[in-house]
Amino acid sequence: MQLEDMILVSIDDHMIEPPDMYKNHVPAKWADKVPKVVRNDQGIDQWVFQGHATSTPFGMAATVGWPKEEWGFNPGAYSELRPGCFDVHERVKDMNANGVLASMNFPTMAGFNARTFNESEDKEISLVMLRAYNDWAIDEWAGAYPARFIPLGIVPMWDIDLAVEEVHRLGKKGCRSISFLETPHVQGFPSFLSGHWDPMLKAIVDEHMVLSLHIGGGFDVIKKAPEAPVDHLIVLACQISAITAQDLLFGPTLRRFPDLKVALSEGGIGWIPFYFDRIDRHYHNQAWLHHDADFGGKLPSEVFRDHILACYITDPSGLLLRDRIGLDIIAWECDYPHTDTTWPESPEFSWKELQDASCSDDEIHQITWQNACRFFDWDPFKHIDKEQASVGALRALAKDVDVTRMPKNEWRKRNEAAGIGVL
Amino acid sequence: MQLEDMILVSIDDHMIEPPDMYKNHVPAKWADKVPKVVRNDQGIDQWVFQGHATSTPFGMAATVGWPKEEWGFNPGAYSELRPGCFDVHERVKDMNANGVLASMNFPTMAGFNARTFNESEDKEISLVMLRAYNDWAIDEWAGAYPARFIPLGIVPMWDIDLAVEEVHRLGKKGCRSISFLETPHVQGFPSFLSGHWDPMLKAIVDEHMVLSLHIGGGFDVIKKAPEAPVDHLIVLACQISAITAQDLLFGPTLRRFPDLKVALSEGGIGWIPFYFDRIDRHYHNQAWLHHDADFGGKLPSEVFRDHILACYITDPSGLLLRDRIGLDIIAWECDYPHTDTTWPESPEFSWKELQDASCSDDEIHQITWQNACRFFDWDPFKHIDKEQASVGALRALAKDVDVTRMPKNEWRKRNEAAGIGVL
């Protein structure tokens, strides 16, 4: 096996929703209520919904086109972005250039857990727009290239019955996963431990879908020092996946739903051997807590493995201990267009890391696509031949794709001249 | 090398302060103000200070004598404890029975960071009692067996000048380390990042002492769900060491004090390779943050290694990746008399783990005693011959020590009959 023979399925990337996303998905009576992109006096594009500027979904969320010196939390304009951020056809070209067969895309403007809609005032309108987001994301974005995108949706967190209803609606249209909040209690919602979310979890199980918990949403679970620099968020966000796992495992959400599947998106894998050592020792050592009964005779690490898919962008130490994690719960991700992405050298980057860890060919296939496809019960080869799905085959389609990083101003000039990213 | 040839120096154990600890260390005018142990109607011993019951320092903090079924957060009485918890002569016998040469002991009643004194009202009295604690811990407890204890003290957190003064006072009497709070901002103090503690850190550096940050004190840095079971505290406490390290490393406390040495007590080691992968990737990837200048051209992991000693009780995954951690920053600990301790089979437990990880004899010596002695600049062999310091030699002295775990009631009966643990 060579680098070119790898097949890459990434279970964590992001779309920057395009300004016209609501065009086809909202009944006429709501047309003037949709979230809109407004360019302000400083040339900055902002999403506005129900009278509030909800986000400037750029800066750190869409750095893929820029040199590192231009990264930061500074907002920007659509025309400054690499078009693959918001245009699905350009996205597929960028995936080809990076040899990536398929991708699951998390929302930006809408929020990983539909935050924009959860926090708005008029819930009737919010529900319309949340559903329209899902219809756009699943039917229009993912639907344009069925071999290339694993459909992902969001649910209204403000009403558990509506959340259940939306899970079923999405399940019927082929959605494979729900993006939710890793530690709901830090955003003022009931925790996973409370049981409040159980009807929704049951619906997800009934639809054979996966609960995807992306890092970042629960960052406030850490009470950081007031002086903490931006490094804290970037470095520690992965550490929170252990807290999320702990909530689910000892909560006991996972034990209550034997068929629930949870993806810890961007959580990394290197923390897992340490966590397993700790929870299995805890199980044996703290016998007075009687977890032998709670876990049905299984070790906590076994229950974790029954339910959870972990994923990583770069994780050399974790790969060395892959046997202690479990080879069938490790998946790869690309994280386009965020700062952590390895685009456009993901194949080179990942191949070296997998080789450095002495992974066998079979292990590479498990990690780079098989685990993801099995876990999300999603088969790209219904739509594309396997020979056309490899890094080598996809890159052959993308010889004309320019992957050069360029300053924002240069993007703005080029894109605006071509009518791209113009409101 | 055989198990019996190991030399064990533990940098994290605990004493349960005995009821008469203040007898020799408080001037007569303050004699009626000392913290006192009072046995209540239910037969439970409580420390009382300045009119408040401050702690029932038993239950989970002193389980070493009991079968697992009797563990829990239930309070108890001194006479229910294995006497090695609070009697230094009995402690040394228990260390011999476990083949442990030396130990650094953290406070219980006083709190890892002198919490009992920080939170009391009359600060004049508190300061007298805090200093008396230090005099007892260093001169009486550790001083009774200079080859067997690494002296550790605490400082008044309510006044930085007093803290500086106490560091110097302790330094002069041979104290090797200050026990402090891992994330001071979660208990309402200024954070490490604030710079508030810098004069104290400077004093610690000037006295060539080590800052010891024990897990647990900062547990509230995690906003846990209201329904979180006790497992969360036990399992996740180690995860907080990564947050502590992050505060110090990107704070930038460690960079401001090139000679500051910090021990992350009971923090475990298995999280470190993942954390190093993350911070070193962060350093390279987020070039816009210009950490190349901040870290003086070193990688963050290198700065960590220059300053920090990590320690573990049981950590099989971490030991497998010891090369990625750094062999000279790993130390072993026993955690007597807490639930996590491996007493009285620490040699068997640790030997197996070290052998399973294929550690060489040299590596075993580094991990079980050399790193600790070097880092704390403390040499037991001024007081004991090396041949008398091994597991085999010490255990030969302890053939009469009964290590049987017994129910609390049995201890109470035996101890009270012998006048042990009676107020």
Side-chain angles (χ1 to χ4, degrees):
Chain A
M1 182 173 176
Q2 301 296 319
L3 179 154
E4 292 72 23
D5 303 323
M6 284 200 295
I7 294 173
L8 298 176
V9 172
S10 163
I11 64 164
D12 174 30
D13 298 285
H14 305 266
M15 76 267 274
I16 307 295
E17 299 91 335
D20 65 352
M21 64 176 288
Y22 281 104
K23 197 172 59 179
N24 305 321
H25 305 285
V26 171
K29 65 178 280 208
W30 301 108
D32 64 333
K33 304 288 189 195
V34 303
K36 286 182 198 67
V37 179
V38 177
R39 182 164 292 188
N40 71 15
D41 297 346
Q42 288 83 49
I44 294 165
D45 292 344
Q46 285 196 300
W47 280 93
V48 177
F49 181 49
Q50 298 194 14
H52 301 285
T54 62
S55 64
T56 51
F58 316 114
M60 287 289 274
T63 55
V64 74
W66 310 328
K68 289 177 196 287
E69 299 73 42
E70 290 209 355
W71 295 5
F73 284 100
N74 44 344
Y78 273 90
S79 57
E80 292 176 348
L81 305 183
R82 189 173 171 87
C85 294
F86 56 85
D87 179 310
V88 70
H89 310 295
E90 294 299 318
R91 171 64 65 96
V92 168
K93 288 182 197 168
D94 284 354
M95 289 163 64
N96 290 344
N98 198 28
V100 172
L101 169 62
S103 164
M104 195 167 78
N105 287 173
F106 286 80
T108 303
M109 176 277 289
F112 294 160
N113 62 314
R115 189 168 186 164
T116 293
F117 307 115
N118 292 326
E119 294 185 352
S120 59
E121 280 157 39
D122 186 325
K123 291 301 187 211
E124 190 185 1
I125 296 175
S126 291
L127 185 63
V128 171
M129 301 310 159
L130 183 151
R131 286 181 172 160
Y133 166 87
N134 281 332
D135 293 344
W136 168 80
I138 295 165
D139 301 336
E140 189 169 325
W141 179 280
Y145 296 89
R148 311 302 295 271
F149 296 103
I150 305 173
L152 173 76
I154 51 179
V155 293
M157 287 183 73
W158 63 87
D159 184 317
I160 185 68
D161 294 330
L162 290 175
V164 168
E165 201 177 296
E166 188 65 5
V167 168
H168 288 304
R169 191 181 79 87
L170 295 178
K172 302 294 172 281
K173 62 158 80 197
C175 179
R176 298 307 315 125
S177 183
I178 298 297
S179 175
F180 202 69
L181 188 52
E182 49 185 355
T183 48
H185 60 280
V186 306
Q187 282 188 20
F189 295 101
S191 73
F192 278 120
L193 300 90
S194 69
H196 174 84
W197 305 107
D198 284 4
M200 180 193 73
L201 300 175
K202 181 177 182 307
I204 290 173
V205 170
D206 289 347
E207 297 291 343
H208 306 289
M209 287 160 79
V210 171
L211 182 72
S212 286
L213 304 177
H214 195 288
I215 63 164
F219 186 69
D220 287 341
V221 78
I222 295 179
K223 250 181 253 169
K224 62 180 197 299
E227 306 86 356
V230 58
D231 311 282
H232 275 54
L233 174 63
I234 303 173
V235 170
L236 295 176
C238 293
Q239 303 282 344
I240 293 167
S241 289
I243 301 173
T244 304
Q246 179 69 18
D247 278 356
L248 296 170
L249 195 51
F250 287 84
T253 305
L254 297 183
R255 291 177 265 156
R256 210 179 297 148
F257 294 99
D259 296 321
L260 180 62
K261 294 193 289 183
V262 182
L264 297 179
S265 315
E266 208 175 329
I269 59 172
W271 57 274
I272 297 176
F274 178 65
Y275 181 69
F276 280 4
D277 287 349
R278 186 80 185 149
I279 57 179
D280 288 351
R281 160 92 173 146
H282 175 73
Y283 172 92
H284 290 300
N285 192 46
Q286 306 285 347
W288 62 285
L289 293 169
H290 301 294
H291 285 316
D292 45 347
D294 295 338
F295 286 102
K298 288 186 175 180
L299 288 172
S301 64
E302 292 176 303
V303 177
F304 183 109
R305 285 197 193 95
D306 287 346
H307 291 271
I308 288 178
L309 185 69
C311 76
Y312 79 97
I313 304 164
T314 165
D315 224 313
S317 299
L319 287 173
L320 288 172
L321 295 187
R322 61 195 178 279
D323 288 336
R324 297 180 76 89
I325 296 170
L327 260 158
D328 51 1
I329 69 160
I330 301 173
W332 172 82
E333 61 159 289
C334 180
D335 204 29
Y336 180 106
H338 284 188
T339 59
D340 270 328
T341 189
T342 49
W343 187 93
E345 292 101 19
S346 299
E348 288 74 16
F349 200 97
S350 301
W351 178 257
K352 182 176 185 314
E353 208 162 286
L354 292 159
Q355 297 301 318
D356 286 349
S358 305
C359 290
S360 70
D361 294 354
D362 285 348
E363 288 174 338
I364 292 173
H365 284 307
Q366 279 184 283
I367 291 171
T368 62
W369 69 274
Q370 286 173 343
N371 290 338
C373 291
R374 184 193 68 248
F375 196 78
F376 286 90
D377 192 12
W378 182 82
D379 181 7
F381 305 118
K382 284 182 187 162
H383 307 281
I384 187 171
D385 287 344
K386 212 180 240 181
E387 307 81 66
Q388 296 173 355
S390 67
V391 167
L394 293 169
R395 278 185 161 171
L397 302 175
K399 293 198 170 127
D400 61 330
V401 177
D402 181 0
V403 297
T404 316
R405 289 180 183 254
M406 291 186 292
K408 293 176 190 176
N409 276 338
E410 180 64 26
W411 279 114
R412 192 187 273 248
K413 212 162 51 182
R414 291 190 188 200
N415 280 337
E416 296 196 356
I420 297 168
V422 177
L423 305 181
Chain B
M1 182 174 174
Q2 302 296 319
L3 180 152
E4 291 72 22
D5 303 322
M6 284 199 294
I7 293 174
L8 297 176
V9 172
S10 163
I11 63 164
D12 174 30
D13 299 285
H14 305 265
M15 76 267 273
I16 306 295
E17 298 91 336
D20 65 353
M21 65 176 287
Y22 282 102
K23 198 172 55 179
N24 304 321
H25 305 285
V26 173
K29 66 179 280 208
W30 301 108
D32 63 332
K33 303 291 188 194
V34 302
K36 287 182 194 68
V37 179
V38 178
R39 182 164 293 187
N40 72 14
D41 298 346
Q42 288 84 49
I44 295 166
D45 292 344
Q46 284 195 301
W47 280 94
V48 177
F49 182 49
Q50 297 193 15
H52 300 285
T54 61
S55 64
T56 52
F58 316 116
M60 288 288 274
T63 55
V64 73
W66 310 328
K68 288 178 195 287
E69 299 72 41
E70 291 208 356
W71 295 5
F73 285 99
N74 44 345
Y78 273 90
S79 58
E80 291 176 349
L81 305 183
R82 187 172 175 88
C85 294
F86 56 87
D87 178 311
V88 70
H89 311 294
E90 294 299 317
R91 171 66 64 96
V92 169
K93 289 183 195 167
D94 284 355
M95 288 163 65
N96 289 343
N98 198 28
V100 172
L101 168 62
S103 164
M104 195 168 76
N105 286 174
F106 286 81
T108 303
M109 176 278 290
F112 295 159
N113 62 314
R115 188 168 187 164
T116 293
F117 306 115
N118 292 325
E119 295 185 351
S120 59
E121 279 157 41
D122 185 325
K123 291 303 187 208
E124 190 185 1
I125 296 175
S126 292
L127 185 63
V128 171
M129 301 309 158
L130 183 150
R131 287 181 171 160
Y133 165 86
N134 282 332
D135 293 343
W136 168 80
I138 295 165
D139 302 335
E140 188 168 326
W141 179 280
Y145 296 89
R148 312 302 294 272
F149 296 103
I150 305 174
L152 173 76
I154 51 180
V155 294
M157 288 183 72
W158 64 88
D159 183 316
I160 185 68
D161 295 330
L162 291 175
V164 168
E165 200 178 299
E166 188 65 4
V167 168
H168 288 303
R169 191 181 78 87
L170 295 178
K172 301 294 171 281
K173 64 159 79 199
C175 180
R176 299 308 314 126
S177 182
I178 298 296
S179 174
F180 202 69
L181 188 52
E182 49 184 354
T183 49
H185 61 280
V186 306
Q187 282 188 20
F189 294 100
S191 73
F192 277 118
L193 300 89
S194 70
H196 174 84
W197 305 107
D198 285 4
M200 180 192 73
L201 299 175
K202 181 178 182 305
I204 290 173
V205 169
D206 289 346
E207 297 291 343
H208 306 288
M209 288 160 78
V210 171
L211 181 73
S212 286
L213 303 177
H214 195 288
I215 64 165
F219 186 69
D220 287 341
V221 78
I222 295 179
K223 250 181 253 171
K224 61 180 199 295
E227 307 86 355
V230 59
D231 311 284
H232 277 52
L233 173 63
I234 303 173
V235 170
L236 294 177
C238 293
Q239 303 282 343
I240 293 167
S241 289
I243 301 173
T244 304
Q246 179 69 19
D247 279 355
L248 295 171
L249 195 51
F250 287 85
T253 305
L254 297 184
R255 291 176 265 155
R256 211 178 297 148
F257 294 99
D259 295 321
L260 181 63
K261 295 193 288 182
V262 183
L264 297 178
S265 315
E266 206 174 331
I269 60 171
W271 57 275
I272 297 176
F274 179 64
Y275 181 69
F276 279 4
D277 286 349
R278 186 82 184 146
I279 56 179
D280 287 350
R281 160 93 174 146
H282 175 73
Y283 172 92
H284 290 299
N285 193 45
Q286 307 285 346
W288 63 285
L289 292 170
H290 301 294
H291 285 316
D292 45 349
D294 294 338
F295 286 101
K298 287 186 175 182
L299 287 172
S301 64
E302 292 175 303
V303 177
F304 183 109
R305 285 196 194 97
D306 286 345
H307 290 271
I308 289 178
L309 185 70
C311 74
Y312 79 97
I313 304 164
T314 165
D315 225 314
S317 299
L319 286 174
L320 288 172
L321 296 186
R322 60 193 178 281
D323 287 336
R324 297 179 77 89
I325 296 170
L327 260 157
D328 50 2
I329 70 161
I330 302 173
W332 172 82
E333 61 158 289
C334 180
D335 204 28
Y336 180 105
H338 284 187
T339 59
D340 271 327
T341 189
T342 50
W343 186 93
E345 291 103 21
S346 300
E348 289 72 19
F349 200 97
S350 301
W351 178 258
K352 180 175 186 317
E353 210 162 284
L354 292 159
Q355 296 301 319
D356 286 350
S358 304
C359 290
S360 70
D361 295 353
D362 285 347
E363 289 174 338
I364 292 173
H365 284 307
Q366 280 185 283
I367 292 171
T368 62
W369 69 275
Q370 286 172 344
N371 290 337
C373 290
R374 185 194 67 251
F375 196 79
F376 285 91
D377 192 11
W378 181 83
D379 180 7
F381 304 119
K382 284 183 189 164
H383 307 281
I384 187 172
D385 287 345
K386 213 181 239 182
E387 307 80 65
Q388 296 172 356
S390 68
V391 167
L394 293 169
R395 278 184 161 172
L397 303 175
K399 294 202 168 121
D400 61 331
V401 177
D402 181 0
V403 297
T404 316
R405 289 179 182 256
M406 291 187 290
K408 293 176 191 177
N409 276 338
E410 181 63 26
W411 279 115
R412 190 187 274 248
K413 212 161 53 184
R414 291 188 189 203
N415 280 337
E416 297 195 356
I420 298 168
V422 177
L423 305 182

